[in-house]
């Protein structure tokens, strides 16, 4: 199976979550939000109620790594995948995680071609998963955002944002 097909599986997982919203609104809580938050180490200390954009990405990657074809692409056992995957509740914590695991980290230069399922961190301390790239715009799936593009609010949305807002891109698979 091609790495594109493997990466597309991560997008499929993220897209299936579009429409999940906090309950009550503006609380950083809700049954599904708490499941996202449980994918992070912070969930042991604070349980729930904290901004969850990074938790959403951690959860998507955790679910993705359950797929036998994804495990094979990484040459991981389930135990290795669990040890490897991100568990940070901080968008910029993904930079440290990526460096620790020798992943390719790209800057926001439009000459850098993005891949489906690259992780994007933004200048405003937010994170998402890249679906597509049109040179100066990126299409993503993001948690803890809203229809207006807030970094702290609401639910899981598909977003189109100017690439200039990006801080870094993290490549999970070539």
């Amino acid at each position: 199976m091609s790495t594109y097909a493997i990466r597309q599986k991560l997008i499929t997982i993220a897209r299936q979550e579009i429409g999940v919203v906090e309950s009550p609104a503006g609380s950083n809580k809700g049954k599904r939000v708490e499941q996202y938050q449980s994918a992070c180490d912070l969930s042991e200390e604070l349980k729930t109620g904290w901004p969850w954009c990074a938790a959403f990405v951690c959860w998507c990657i955790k679910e993705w790594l359950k797929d036998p074809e994804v495990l094979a692409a990484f040459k991981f056992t389930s135990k290795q995948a669990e040890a490897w995957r991100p568990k940070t509740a901080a968008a910029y914590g993904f930079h440290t995680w990526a460096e620790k695991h020798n992943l390719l980290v790209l800057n926001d230069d439009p000459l850098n071609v993005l891949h489906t399922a690259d992780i994007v961190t933004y200048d405003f301390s937010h994170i998402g998963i890249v679906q597509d790239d049109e040179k100066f715009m990126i299409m993503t799936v993001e948690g803890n955002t809203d229809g207006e593009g807030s970094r702290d609010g609401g639910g899981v949305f598909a977003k189109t944002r100017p690439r200039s807002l990006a801080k870094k891109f993290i490549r999970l698979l070539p």
Side-chain angles (χ1 to χ4, degrees):
M1 178 173 275
S2 72
T3 60
Y4 174 78
I6 297 292
R7 290 183 278 112
Q8 192 61 42
K9 289 178 177 232
L10 179 58
I11 295 300
T12 298
I13 290 167
R15 288 191 58 75
Q16 289 172 342
E17 300 302 304
I18 293 171
V20 170
V21 294
E22 296 172 358
S23 179
S27 67
N28 286 322
K29 294 182 180 182
K31 184 176 180 180
R32 196 66 166 157
V33 170
E34 291 168 19
Q35 289 174 345
Y36 304 148
Q37 291 169 326
S38 73
C40 294
D41 288 340
L42 187 60
S43 67
E44 296 300 316
E45 298 169 34
L46 298 179
K47 299 290 183 215
T48 190
W50 38 273
W52 50 276
C53 61
F56 173 72
V57 176
C58 289
W59 181 88
C60 289
I61 292 171
K62 181 179 180 180
E63 294 301 304
W64 183 53
L65 289 167
K66 292 178 180 178
D67 185 301
E69 292 174 324
V70 175
L71 288 174
F74 281 102
K75 299 181 173 108
F76 284 159
T77 64
S78 295
K79 188 175 181 177
Q80 289 169 323
E82 180 59 23
W84 175 84
R85 75 170 182 84
K87 299 173 186 81
T88 179
Y92 296 164
F94 269 76
H95 300 165
T96 304
W97 171 79
E99 290 168 7
K100 176 182 174 187
H101 294 286
N102 297 315
L103 296 175
L104 180 61
V105 179
L106 303 165
N107 63 25
D108 66 349
D109 185 335
L111 296 176
N112 287 329
V113 177
L114 301 181
H115 287 185
T116 297
D118 282 350
I119 305 301
V120 57
T121 59
Y122 295 102
D123 291 331
F124 51 98
S125 190
H126 187 61
I127 191 168
I129 302 171
V130 175
Q131 294 187 87
D132 203 359
D133 165 30
E134 291 184 8
K135 196 146 189 152
F136 297 106
M137 299 298 285
I138 53 175
M139 284 59 72
T140 62
V141 179
E142 303 170 14
N144 203 34
T145 190
D146 60 21
E148 303 302 312
S150 168
R151 72 174 190 93
D152 187 23
V156 178
F157 289 84
K159 303 298 301 175
T160 300
R161 294 189 190 267
R163 189 171 174 154
S164 61
L165 295 176
K167 184 174 188 77
K168 301 277 183 191
F169 297 96
I170 299 167
R171 175 119 342 120
L172 300 175
L173 257 178

